[in-house]
Amino acid sequence: MTALGRVGAGVRAGTQSFVREPFNVVLLLVLPALSIQIYGVSLAQFPAVGIFDAAGTLETTGRITGAVFATGALAGVLGLFQMISARHADRRLALCGFPDVELVVSRLLTIAVVGSVIAGVATVTLVAILGEPVSAAPLVFVGLGVAAAAYGLLGILVGTVLPRELEGSLVLVILADVDNVFASGLFGIDESITQFAPLSHPHELVTAAVVDGQLATEHLLPAGGHLLVFAVLSIAAYTYAVGGEPA
Amino acid sequence: MTADRSSPPEHSEQRAASDIVVAADSIAKTYDSRLPFTRSVEVLDGATLEVRRGEVVGIMGENGSGKSTLMQILAGALDADAGAVQRAGTVGWCPQEPRLYDRLTVDETFRLFGQAYGMDDDEVREARDWLTDVLDFEEFADRQVRHLSGGNRQKLNLSVALMHEPDLLLLDEPYTGFDWETFLAFWELTEQLRDRGVGVAIISHIINERDRFDVVYELHDGHLHRQEIGADDEPQSRPTEGQVDCERTTPFVDDDAGGGQRATGEGSR
Amino acid sequence: MNGRVRTLAAMGAREFARTPVLLALLVVLPVYVIGVFVLLVDDTAVPLTIDGSVVNAEMSAFAAAFMTPVTVAILAGIVGLFLMQSSQAADDRLRLAGYRAGELVTARFGLLVVGTLLVTAASLAVALTAVTPELLGWFVLATVLTGLTYGILGVVVGVVLDRLPGVYVMLFAPMVDVLMFQNPLATDPPTWTSALPGHYATELLFAATFTTSVDGTDAVAAGGYVLLLLVLGTGLLYRTTAVE
């Protein structure tokens, strides 16, 4: 089998593992809608002035926050459970001759494929629930795609350090919670600090796409920086966990 | 072997009913799927068996034929959809998956289950010393269950079933992971238990072990087929139903009956 | 408490103590969640709506008070879930061996109380560095009641749901309830939010932190919620551990 064939087989296997777990499918279909709706209702309770730094109405900001959170959390779960369930099988694959590099590429591509599906579902759900025309839906998808990629990689990282369902999920969801509160502008924390929160740039990208119909180019570079850091860390962690040697 | 294999098989009605330590009558069990568009699986369909004092009974069958389900129903860990189980005396159950607390040590596991069985500290200590000696895992007394090897975990699993010297032992593949010495020690122990009048039911995959059993039940298509070892060479072609040696009208292997279908028109109880 | 329950509770405590990663998280996460907000929020005054009146509070004090029930609810829920999920199969075997359902339920809930007090203590240790509640005793009581509410809910969810769905319900539910719908910064909360499990305990907590009197009905209602869940949880546990 060629390298391309092996990577294709790896991605197919990873994607099927995700889809064949009914809980993942339920989470994929339900969490975005639930999260978008709940955040929308939640932020609408607050006074429109004061502590929030919101570009649109509070309800719209809430829904964007919900979409970003759901996308990040779902992708994080994907990365986490890939590591928990597949690390031993991947190590065996490596021993059977599957090159380390191709294994890493397969895992990252799986994150990319399933992450795109997650971002796609969240985009469609957000546009449908917002109820107002969104002129730049593809840009919403880009913003949510960045959130999915960041948390998919973080999920791999957490899954390597803490390969346990309960503890890994706990850390991941708390990270996403705190990150999301930073990104949403709740508590009015200074931007010089919140810019380090992984979800803050995807949040800005999605907000600009929804409110102005534009690509927030100034957030692309820092978002890319986050992705690069998480990619390096998660690849290092993965190769350590699976191969024991750098790919 | 202590059982007299040369004597002709007794008919159940000639033997005292008080000898029976567990009797299962027409057990049925189906696992319903919780998801839409997926199949329910019928596992047991009128399975009937009995185990007597001092009898070592083997339960055999293909992978996935429902042996462990039957064992859980016999132990009382799982409810049957239909049928009845009657037990006499105390029961020791050794499930296929150990079902122990991963983070307790071997010693703590003996103490906790000893409390459950109503044993006092001395009795627990005696049982622990006896079983860890016979099964050769004394040196792991302070090790947590999750850190035991598969074989040693299985020794503890078996010991928990045995420690209160029950009247009935239900063992689901009890020697998985045992080394040869422990395997032999296990059978020696089983012989001692048979001598003491304990009824033992063992799920086994090892076909060469047939000679070690007094009776073997084959589980096939949800029915049990009884064979008395040393008396005949083949399992009875008719499944046990209602009583363990009742007559049935459909042969054991009957493609027409379909997987899991009842061979006669009798309804489940 | 008889000897059998004592042994079971002691063994449960040992099991819990032998999960160092989880224990470390139960202590470290409050420091992270509460500490990070206390450190990073602006030093401004914010208007809080408590029992219908508006009270001004420092943002850092508000963050400390608010993130305490959020953290305790999430972590106590995880403790409740862990107690159920780590032991269910073995509990069946223990029941078959002779333990009575009542003994198992007593031991498990005893351990839940200990676990809840642990996460409450860790959270209070961080929160009290940034906020001085007007009524400390009520503040502590409200935090414990929030923890117990979600701890028992964790047990209930652990009984009803499979492992993974249970984990995610217990991670999201307290966040939605306490973080999103019990925030005193809100001026216009929907009425149905008062039916959520964390409502009365958090009302009590904010009143105890930022005012000089508490509404007794909040305390009674929060306690009632705990009792109600305890009855439900006990019933479910009895049913789950029912063997022949």
Side-chain angles (χ1 to χ4, degrees):
Chain A
M1 198 186 263
T2 63
L4 201 63
R6 280 194 296 269
V7 169
V11 173
R12 214 165 25 251
T15 310
Q16 282 168 344
S17 305
F18 180 82
V19 175
R20 282 179 184 161
E21 173 61 62
F23 175 65
N24 288 342
V25 179
V26 172
L27 218 50
L28 174 66
L29 296 177
V30 173
L31 187 63
L34 214 59
S35 177
I36 291 167
Q37 199 56 31
I38 288 175
Y39 268 96
V41 176
S42 171
L43 261 68
Q45 315 167 83
F46 295 104
V49 287
I51 56 160
F52 293 104
D53 178 21
T57 65
L58 278 172
E59 196 169 16
T60 303
T61 303
R63 286 177 170 163
I64 290 169
T65 307
V68 173
F69 173 76
T71 308
L74 269 171
V77 171
L78 162 72
L80 175 73
F81 283 94
Q82 270 214 91
M83 281 316 295
I84 291 175
S85 64
R87 60 192 278 151
H88 294 302
D90 280 2
R91 189 176 288 162
R92 190 169 176 185
L93 269 179
L95 286 171
C96 292
F98 208 110
D100 286 359
V101 179
E102 290 169 23
L103 267 176
V104 172
V105 172
S106 302
R107 285 292 161 216
L108 293 182
L109 279 178
T110 305
I111 295 278
V113 170
V114 185
S116 300
V117 174
I118 293 168
V121 171
T123 303
V124 170
T125 315
L126 178 64
V127 170
I129 290 181
L130 274 174
E132 50 195 86
V134 175
S135 52
L139 296 181
V140 173
F141 176 76
V142 170
L144 292 177
V146 173
Y151 265 81
L153 294 169
L154 261 179
I156 289 187
L157 196 57
V158 173
T160 310
V161 180
L162 261 182
R164 301 152 190 249
E165 288 177 2
L166 184 72
E167 289 90 338
S169 302
L170 178 60
V171 168
L172 197 68
V173 173
I174 295 258
L175 275 178
D177 271 345
V178 173
D179 185 1
N180 198 44
V181 173
F182 280 4
S184 69
L186 196 74
F187 286 112
I189 297 170
D190 197 90
E191 202 186 320
S192 61
I193 295 165
T194 58
Q195 63 173 327
F196 294 107
L199 287 180
S200 62
H201 302 292
H203 189 273
E204 294 303 327
L205 285 166
V206 177
T207 304
V210 169
V211 179
D212 308 323
Q214 287 179 348
L215 181 65
T217 44
E218 71 275 21
H219 288 283
L220 281 178
L221 194 64
H226 269 132
L227 290 187
L228 187 68
V229 171
F230 293 151
V232 169
L233 289 175
S234 60
I235 289 172
Y238 178 82
T239 46
Y240 170 77
V242 172
E245 290 169 6
Chain B
M1 302 282 146
T2 53
D4 181 6
R5 299 274 159 65
S6 59
S7 59
E10 296 171 280
H11 291 287
S12 59
E13 51 273 296
Q14 292 174 323
R15 295 182 288 183
S18 61
D19 271 356
I20 297 175
V21 278
V22 67
D25 185 8
S26 306
I27 299 297
K29 181 73 187 174
T30 300
Y31 288 112
D32 291 321
S33 170
R34 292 161 73 177
L35 297 174
F37 313 116
T38 46
R39 288 189 311 137
S40 294
V41 182
E42 192 176 43
V43 180
L44 298 173
D45 178 27
T48 296
L49 97 168
E50 64 183 30
V51 179
R52 291 172 174 275
R53 291 186 197 287
E55 193 172 61
V56 179
V57 170
I59 300 173
M60 295 184 168
E62 296 167 2
N63 292 334
S65 59
K67 302 183 297 296
S68 294
T69 298
L70 174 66
M71 198 61 115
Q72 287 182 61
I73 290 171
L74 292 180
L78 188 68
D79 289 332
D81 298 337
V85 178
Q86 284 187 318
R87 302 175 202 86
T90 51
V91 181
W93 173 46
C94 172
Q96 190 174 25
E97 293 295 324
R99 295 197 188 209
L100 299 170
Y101 298 95
D102 279 351
R103 289 178 172 79
L104 294 187
T105 64
V106 169
D107 237 2
E108 290 162 352
T109 303
F110 273 109
R111 268 165 51 205
L112 182 60
F113 278 89
Q115 282 276 9
Y117 292 132
M119 300 163 73
D120 64 32
D121 290 351
D122 288 339
E123 289 170 332
V124 171
R125 206 171 304 118
E126 260 176 50
R128 181 201 61 198
D129 292 348
W130 164 52
L131 287 161
T132 54
D133 176 48
V134 170
L135 296 173
D136 192 23
F137 67 117
E138 307 102 313
E139 67 268 41
F140 302 108
D142 293 326
R143 193 166 293 186
Q144 290 177 36
V145 172
R146 64 186 166 142
H147 295 143
L148 291 173
S149 69
N152 282 323
R153 196 174 307 175
Q154 192 58 15
K155 289 176 187 179
L156 180 62
N157 186 16
L158 178 62
S159 300
V160 166
L162 275 165
M163 63 183 290
H164 59 308
E165 301 187 38
D167 302 305
L168 168 67
L169 256 179
L170 299 168
L171 311 178
D172 192 344
E173 296 187 40
Y175 29 69
T176 308
F178 281 4
D179 54 44
W180 181 243
E181 294 299 319
T182 313
F183 179 79
L184 294 178
F186 164 78
W187 278 111
E188 201 172 311
L189 189 61
T190 306
E191 295 302 331
Q192 290 169 14
L193 294 168
R194 189 206 313 253
D195 290 347
R196 286 191 214 164
V198 177
V200 186
I202 303 177
I203 289 181
S204 173
H205 278 303
I206 307 174
I207 209 80
N208 291 346
E209 286 172 9
R210 287 187 96 92
D211 286 347
R212 296 185 186 271
F213 297 112
D214 302 309
V215 176
V216 166
Y217 285 90
E218 297 254 12
L219 186 55
H220 182 86
D221 279 350
H223 308 296
L224 284 165
H225 303 265
R226 180 185 165 100
Q227 178 192 12
E228 301 216 11
I229 301 299
D232 50 15
D233 295 323
E234 296 296 325
Q236 286 180 13
S237 63
R238 299 179 185 95
T240 54
E241 175 86 14
Q243 293 179 329
V244 290
D245 51 358
C246 79
E247 290 292 315
R248 294 286 300 258
T249 53
T250 311
F252 167 23
V253 180
D254 183 358
D255 291 339
D256 294 337
Q261 292 292 306
R262 294 172 64 84
T264 69
E266 290 172 44
S268 304
R269 286 168 36 184
Chain C
M1 198 189 273
N2 67 29
R4 287 156 62 90
V5 176
R6 251 200 320 275
T7 304
L8 187 53
M11 294 301 173
R14 283 179 198 199
E15 275 202 288
F16 197 36
R18 286 170 189 163
T19 53
V21 176
L22 184 61
L23 276 180
L25 286 176
L26 295 181
V27 175
V28 169
L29 287 178
V31 179
Y32 170 65
V33 178
I34 302 170
V36 90
F37 284 104
V38 168
L39 281 178
L40 298 181
V41 291
D42 278 346
D43 216 6
T44 51
V46 284
L48 308 176
T49 307
I50 297 168
D51 286 336
S53 316
V54 176
V55 179
N56 282 314
E58 286 291 312
M59 187 63 154
S60 57
F62 162 68
F66 181 49
M67 294 315 283
T68 298
V70 173
T71 313
V72 168
I74 292 178
L75 297 183
I78 291 295
V79 170
L81 197 67
F82 172 82
L83 287 180
M84 284 320 299
Q85 294 193 335
S86 67
S87 64
Q88 223 159 2
D91 280 355
D92 278 356
R93 191 170 184 186
L94 206 57
R95 282 279 289 120
L96 279 172
Y99 259 102
R100 285 184 285 276
E103 294 171 331
L104 260 167
V105 171
T106 310
R108 292 282 170 253
F109 278 124
L111 215 52
L112 177 67
V113 171
V114 174
T116 302
L117 292 178
L118 176 77
V119 298
T120 303
S123 302
L124 288 177
V126 186
L128 292 177
T129 60
V131 62
T132 308
E134 295 285 347
L135 306 165
L136 182 63
W138 285 106
F139 178 80
V140 174
L141 176 72
T143 312
V144 172
L145 286 173
T146 311
L148 285 177
T149 303
Y150 271 93
I152 302 170
L153 267 175
V155 170
V156 170
V157 167
V159 172
V160 175
L161 292 181
D162 284 344
R163 185 174 175 82
L164 218 46
V167 170
Y168 282 89
V169 166
M170 283 322 293
L171 286 173
F172 293 136
M175 185 188 86
V176 170
D177 175 5
V178 185
L179 182 68
M180 295 168 72
F181 289 113
Q182 309 303 340
N183 190 329
L185 286 172
T187 48
D188 191 18
T191 7
W192 56 263
T193 57
S194 59
L196 293 173
H199 177 74
Y200 293 104
T202 48
E203 287 262 293
L204 182 67
L205 184 140
F206 294 126
T209 313
F210 298 111
T211 70
T212 50
S213 67
V214 294
D215 184 352
T217 33
D218 284 338
V220 173
Y225 226 121
V226 170
L227 270 181
L228 197 74
L229 286 171
L230 190 63
V231 171
L232 176 70
T234 306
L236 277 172
L237 264 182
Y238 260 94
R239 242 189 72 191
T240 314
T241 54
V243 292
E244 289 176 41

